[in-house]
């Protein structure tokens, strides 16, 4: 049977590019767990921001299988070496993605606005001093500034702009990033969310959040439809209750 | 860089209002044969700025695309083949993308455009 994820031995590497790690595997496992939905979703544009080695976008292309040949894949990274490595990784798996070296989606925001059906992001999320963020080379792979939120908080509005009406965003976060607050913030913009995977490693507790536009929410002016339950720092979000915006 | 990528890029320099399409400065073009996929082309057609694609393909030395296009033309096999070739088989391997307003060049090396800005451009 054909592999449904990228194979590590075919993933290229470079001393200044982030190798697939626990967070990359968690994101790919979350996508695999959601594969049936992804196939039904029939995305026509899939995008990765911060593609690193290319392990995630190659896996996404492979798990979509035949479906992926109708789909446009595009990936960005701020690190030029990463984009080059992603190209090799994609080629080694017989896949193709358009690649751009850029900050998040700068230069693509105008034309891709409202067109992206699936966006996957494993951002730099480690809490660090602010000055470490956006340095060139490998440090930009993890340095996330205060609470690890610096880059995430820049990505969220861009995702909101690029996602299509049916668009889905899969985002890797750490407990320290306050994922519940991210969901809440996006809920105010009309997004529903769900933790699709939670995994604790020796060093960190990862949450993969899936966010999508909740069209019902947008229809009802000023009223958000949502319900949050918090337990042990872990969130389960179900969207049933009805809260007035002012209450949030 | 395929012309599909070019069609999705605009100049991102602060203050630029008319950053699309980027002009193309050609150093090296390569052609790569790609399996023909009609569904992919149908998916992409409504998302493409046709005039920009026509101009870009001309700059790259391909002059077969019709000046105007509409979705009914997707029923023509001949049209689809040309669209396919221009969109995903022509690659700018080396060269630059030039901001139409400021003339700022964004390098394309080994087929990958670099849209990173200097601090004073953000
Ligand atoms: C944690 S790594 C993830 C790499 C890969 N997607 C994976 O899952 O293995 C984060 C990636 O985001 C990139 N990155 C950091 N800041 C970025 C920005 N502002 N715009 C685009 N990419 C960025 C880094 O260069 C790095 O490759």
């Amino acid at each position: 049977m054909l592999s449904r994820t990228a194979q590590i031995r075919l993933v290229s590497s470079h001393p200044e590019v982030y190798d697939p790690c626990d967070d990359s595997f968690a994101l790919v496992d979350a996508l695999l767990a959601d594969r049936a939905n992804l196939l039904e979703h029939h995305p026509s544009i899939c995008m990765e921001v911060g593609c690193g080695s290319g392990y995630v976008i190659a896996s996404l292309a492979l798990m979509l299988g035949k479906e992926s040949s109708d789909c446009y894949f595009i990936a960005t990274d701020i690190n030029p070496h990463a984009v080059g490595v992603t190209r090799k990784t994609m080629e080694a798996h017989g896949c193709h993605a358009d690649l751009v070296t850029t900050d998040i989606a700068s230069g693509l925001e105008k034309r891709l606005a409202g067109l992206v059906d699936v966006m996957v992001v494993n951002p730099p999320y480690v809490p660090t001093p602010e000055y470490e963020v956006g340095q060139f080379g490998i440090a930009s792979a993890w340095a996330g500034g205060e609470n690890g939120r610096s880059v995430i908080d820049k990505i969220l509005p861009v995702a909101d702009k690029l996602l299509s009406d049916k668009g889905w965003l899969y985002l890797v976060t750490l407990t320290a990033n306050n994922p519940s607050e991210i969901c809440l913030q996006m809920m105010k913009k009309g997004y529903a969310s769900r933790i699709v995977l939670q995994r604790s490693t020796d060093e960190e507790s990862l949450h993969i959040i899936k966010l999508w536009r909740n069209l019902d929410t947008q229809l009802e002016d000023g009223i958000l439809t949502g319900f949050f339950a918090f337990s042990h720092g872990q969130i389960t979000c179900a969207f049933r209750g009805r809260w007035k915006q002012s209450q949030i | 860089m395929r012309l599909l990528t070019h069609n999705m890029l605009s100049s991102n320099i602060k203050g630029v209002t008319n950053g699309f399409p980027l002009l193309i400065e050609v150093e090296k073009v390569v052609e790569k044969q790609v399996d023909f996929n009609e569904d992919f082309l149908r998916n992409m057609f409504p998302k493409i700025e046709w005039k920009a694609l026509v101009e870009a393909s001309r700059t790259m030395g391909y002059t077969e695309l019709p000046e105007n296009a509409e979705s009914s033309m997707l029923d023509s096999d001949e049209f689809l083949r040309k669209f396919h070739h221009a969109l995903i088989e022509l690659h700018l391997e080396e060269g630059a993308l030039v901001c139409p307003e400021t003339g700022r060049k964004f390098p394309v090396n080994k087929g990958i455009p670099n849209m990173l800005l200097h601090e004073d451009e953000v």
Side-chain angles (χ1 to χ4, degrees), chain B:
Chain B
M1 184 200 70
R2 320 190 281 190
L3 291 188
L4 172 53
T5 324
H6 169 260
N7 211 270
M8 296 300 159
L9 285 171
S10 323
S11 173
N12 49 354
I13 299 168
K14 189 181 163 198
V16 166
T17 49
N18 230 332
F20 182 86
L22 295 160
L23 309 170
I24 298 179
E25 228 174 63
V26 178
E27 264 173 54
K28 186 176 168 204
V29 174
V30 293
E31 290 187 23
K32 296 182 192 169
Q33 213 185 330
V34 183
D35 289 343
F36 180 76
N37 179 341
E38 193 176 324
D39 290 332
F40 177 79
L41 296 171
R42 284 181 184 277
N43 271 344
M44 291 316 294
F45 181 77
K47 304 179 167 89
I48 293 298
E49 288 283 346
W50 189 257
K51 230 175 134 262
L53 180 65
V54 174
E55 276 171 30
S57 62
R58 283 192 187 147
T59 316
M60 305 267 279
Y62 183 70
T63 55
E64 302 288 307
L65 287 185
E67 204 71 46
N68 297 297
E70 48 176 282
S71 52
S72 64
M73 292 162 95
L74 292 168
D75 294 333
S76 148
D77 197 54
E78 194 196 340
F79 173 78
L80 283 175
R81 299 269 163 194
K82 290 177 178 170
F83 179 34
H84 167 81
H85 182 68
L87 193 69
I88 58 179
E89 289 192 324
L90 287 177
H91 292 246
L92 182 67
E93 192 64 13
E94 297 292 333
L97 302 174
V98 185
C99 170
E101 214 171 282
T102 63
R104 152 71 140 100
K105 288 183 189 175
F106 298 95
V108 177
N109 296 128
K110 294 190 184 149
I112 297 173
N114 185 330
M115 301 301 292
L116 292 177
L117 297 172
H118 306 302
E119 259 169 41
D120 57 350
E121 295 172 319
V122 188

Side-chain angles (χ1 to χ4, degrees), chain A residues 86-211:
Chain A
T86 292
R87 176 162 72 177
K88 286 192 200 140
T89 297
M90 289 301 273
E91 273 168 11
H93 290 90
C95 307
H96 184 94
D98 276 2
L99 299 165
V100 181
T101 305
T102 194
D103 184 4
I104 304 178
S106 182
L108 291 162
E109 286 177 47
K110 213 174 186 169
R111 291 278 295 120
L112 281 183
L115 294 185
V116 176
D117 294 325
V118 173
M119 185 184 278
V120 293
V121 189
N122 178 8
Y125 53 65
V126 179
T128 62
E130 207 56 42
Y131 66 83
E132 285 182 23
V133 176
Q135 298 294 314
F136 284 97
I138 188 78
S140 69
W142 63 75
E146 196 183 347
N147 300 324
R149 284 284 293 272
S150 276
V151 183
I152 292 175
D153 286 344
K154 284 191 196 139
I155 292 173
L156 294 174
V158 176
D160 180 37
K161 186 167 177 195
L162 298 193
L163 286 174
S164 68
D165 285 346
K166 67 168 198 177
W168 295 347
L169 167 66
Y170 297 85
L171 177 71
V172 179
T173 61
L174 211 59
T175 315
N177 304 145
N178 199 352
S180 55
E181 201 277 327
I182 293 176
C183 293
L184 210 59
Q185 187 187 319
M186 291 301 277
M187 193 165 94
K188 289 178 189 163
K189 291 190 182 174
Y191 284 80
S193 55
R194 189 160 66 84
I195 304 279
V196 279
L197 189 142
Q198 207 224 320
R199 182 172 294 169
S200 296
T201 67
D202 292 344
E203 288 158 17
E204 49 195 22
S205 169
L206 296 162
H207 296 80
I208 316 293
I209 322 176
K210 176 178 176 182
L211 292 135

